[in-house]
Amino acid sequence: MFDRDGNQKVDRQEFLVLEEIFGKKTEDDGSSESVSLVSKYLNSEAETFRRQSPQGPPKTTLMTHLFGQKGMDSLDFNTFFKFMDNLQTEVLELEFLHFSKGMPVINEEEFAEILLRYTNAAETDRDEYMQRLRTRIDNGQGITFPEFKDFCQFLNNLDDFSIAMRMYTIANQPIAQSEFMRAVKISTGHDIAPHVVNTVYQIFDKDGDGKLSDKEFIGVMKDRVHRGFRYHLMKYEGWEGWKSCVKHEMKTR
């Protein structure tokens, strides 16, 4: 979209358009103005943006990494995709190592803690999830980092998966583990280890019927994907708003 000269690459000047657009803020969430700015750029109103000249060295290490010491290199899709994939992998690895303490696996309870740590689930709900897992899985086999990464990559495609889940919801049919794995493969192209799926079911399957509904899983995991960064967009009023604010501040202290 921002490759103006059609050479399948983005230079520093074109990349800075993104910095200008996403740096804009409005009184609301800023989405409407961002769309307006994108439209202006695509309509060749490039003077709308105060774009930095590509002359001179980049001002940040990120720009140096992407466009070279002099800022004259170009960035193609494969290079940027690899950069983003490596960045996400390192973030996930840090999160995994925090719980594994240098070991090659984490146990199922630690996996559940990772999944729930950035959600807005109430403390009582978290306790219920953890207690349910403890009573259903005695001696787990553990979860390796590649298995953890595959599951997190699946969460990045959660919207596509939720469409498949919604088809079952319309028919009032919760899905079994085999159907869950098939829906993941079709909607995201990723395979998830069967024992990881089983762990997810033991966490979120409230009635223990071996099946999962949309409300039992999708809603909680959407919070996990955003890692709590969308909390400021949630609007609460009155007594419930006050309680929610106190709980959030206590969790972040």
Side-chain angles (χ1 to χ4, degrees), residues 15-69:
F15 188 83
L16 286 172
V17 174
L18 293 174
E19 187 179 77
E20 181 74 15
I21 289 176
F22 294 117
K24 295 290 184 180
K25 295 182 179 179
T26 60
E27 294 181 357
D28 53 13
D29 63 353
S31 59
S32 59
E33 182 166 337
S34 294
V35 173
S36 176
L37 290 170
V38 171
S39 300
K40 289 179 179 180
Y41 180 75
L42 294 180
N43 289 331
S44 300
E45 296 181 17
E47 66 277 4
T48 303
F49 306 95
R50 304 183 307 274
R51 293 186 292 176
Q52 175 184 334
S53 170
Q55 302 298 324
K59 295 182 179 180
T60 65
T61 54
L62 174 61
M63 297 296 282
T64 300
H65 176 77
L66 296 177
F67 300 104
Q69 291 288 342

Side-chain angles (χ1 to χ4, degrees), residues 44-138:
S44 300
E45 296 181 17
E47 66 277 4
T48 303
F49 306 95
R50 304 183 307 274
R51 293 186 292 176
Q52 175 184 334
S53 170
Q55 302 298 324
K59 295 182 179 180
T60 65
T61 54
L62 174 61
M63 297 296 282
T64 300
H65 176 77
L66 296 177
F67 300 104
Q69 291 288 342
K70 297 182 179 180
M72 302 302 293
D73 296 345
S74 298
L75 181 67
D76 59 32
F77 173 79
N78 291 331
T79 302
F80 187 69
F81 179 85
K82 183 178 180 180
F83 166 76
M84 291 299 298
D85 184 63
N86 289 339
L87 177 62
Q88 291 181 5
T89 299
E90 290 186 16
V91 172
L92 292 175
E93 189 171 14
L94 287 172
E95 191 171 25
F96 183 87
L97 291 174
H98 175 74
F99 284 87
S100 70
K101 304 298 190 295
M103 300 299 289
V105 298
I106 56 175
N107 61 41
E108 285 73 10
E109 188 172 337
E110 291 168 335
F111 176 71
E113 290 180 11
I114 293 177
L115 292 187
L116 297 172
R117 68 185 307 199
Y118 291 113
T119 67
N120 292 322
E123 195 65 32
T124 54
D125 292 336
R126 291 169 183 261
D127 294 340
E128 182 181 343
Y129 288 136
M130 300 304 297
Q131 183 60 34
R132 187 185 303 149
L133 179 64
R134 295 188 190 103
T135 57
R136 293 178 179 178
I137 297 182
D138 295 327

Side-chain angles (χ1 to χ4, degrees), residues 141-174:
Q141 66 182 84
I143 297 170
T144 65
F145 177 70
E147 293 169 341
F148 172 69
K149 180 183 176 182
D150 287 340
F151 185 81
C152 291
Q153 287 180 331
F154 148 66
L155 292 182
N156 288 338
N157 295 277
L158 193 61
D159 288 337
D160 294 332
F161 174 78
S162 65
I163 295 175
M165 284 282 285
R166 201 169 299 122
M167 298 300 293
Y168 284 93
T169 304
I170 293 175
N172 294 321
Q173 294 293 326

